Amino acid sequence: MRVGLVTSNSHKLAEARRILTDFEVVGIDVGEVAETGSTFEENAIIKAEAGRGRAPIVIGEDSGLVVDGLDGAPGIYSARYGPTDAERIARVLQELGSTRSRRARFVAVVCAVVDEDPPRCFEGVVEGAIALEPRGEQGFGYDPIFIPLGGDGRTFAELGEWKDALSHRRRALVGFADWARAFADR
Ligand code: ITT
Ligand code: NA
């Protein structure tokens, strides 16, 4: 079954391909999409709707890092928290300092649109903590400073593809895949 992922982020596409092994995942380029929503779900729906009809099943995904000691920032603004990944990471570490709670989670919401139906959304969360300094070279975004709970203390950027076992994206996409298989068999 073919699934179109509306994204400009090649890392998201690569991870979705690794995780959705039963599906043929293709990227859909819709150009700039204004992410005007105030929640992950609203922004995921905006992206999915922008690609509606471009594949039998179209999905949009919105995700981000939610840090307790920063009152939930960067959250839905994760991609916009600075000009580069390195500057976004530096900003989180600098704002967090050494006294605030380092507890954090990654959240992903995947929304699917089919035919004329309303969107169906699936959320995935992975709890963890913000590292004292960046570690690891793999992955993307905030991976060098995120230590997942349930791992061995390595950051997502040190875990490489082992990230998939725990990731927010995996958890959201598994929910989507269960629904999509049932949808295809209907
Ligand atoms: P699209 O909107 O085109 O899909 P994007 O990268 O702009 O791509 P988002 O608007 O959903 O995606 O922003 C998500 C940001 O959250 C992303 O750019 C990273 O900074 C961060 N993020 C999300 N998932 C992550 C992950 O698995 N590892 C590290 N950082 C992640
Ligand atoms: Na985006």
Side-chain angles (χ1 to χ4, degrees), residues 5-13 15 28 30-33 35 40 43-44 47 59-65 74-81 84-85 88-89 106-109 126 138-146 156-157 163-164 167-170:
L5 172 61
V6 176
T7 188
S8 58
N9 184 326
S10 60
H11 300 278
K12 280 190 185 181
L13 182 61
E15 289 191 10
I28 296 179
V30 297
E32 274 294 294
V33 184
E35 295 179 31
F40 292 115
N43 284 331
K47 294 179 217 181
I59 58 178
E61 189 254 50
D62 201 60
S63 48
L65 179 66
I76 63 165
Y77 302 105
S78 291
R80 300 166 260 178
Y81 215 53
T84 63
D85 279 346
R88 294 189 270 268
I89 284 175
F106 267 125
V107 179
V109 176
V126 54
Q138 304 173 81
F140 72 102
Y142 299 89
D143 282 345
I145 56 166
F146 186 78
F156 265 172
K163 167 186 177 180
D164 297 346
S167 83
H168 51 313
R169 187 157 294 105
R170 151 53 119 330

Side-chain angles (χ1 to χ4, degrees), residues 166-183:
L166 298 169
S167 83
H168 51 313
R169 187 157 294 105
R170 151 53 119 330
R171 289 170 180 172
L173 287 171
V174 163
F176 160 73
D178 289 345
W179 169 81
R181 274 186 221 99
F183 173 81

Side-chain angles (χ1 to χ4, degrees), residues 96-102:
L96 205 49
S98 55
T99 54
R100 296 166 189 267
S101 169
R102 307 190 84 80

Side-chain angles (χ1 to χ4, degrees), residues 19-57:
I19 293 163
L20 294 175
T21 46
D22 300 355
F23 299 81
E24 182 200 348
V25 183
V26 298
I28 296 179
D29 179 7
V30 297
E32 274 294 294
V33 184
E35 295 179 31
T36 54
S38 55
T39 61
F40 292 115
E41 180 168 319
E42 284 172 11
N43 284 331
I45 289 172
I46 288 169
K47 294 179 217 181
E49 290 290 2
R52 190 187 274 275
R54 301 268 303 265
I57 299 181

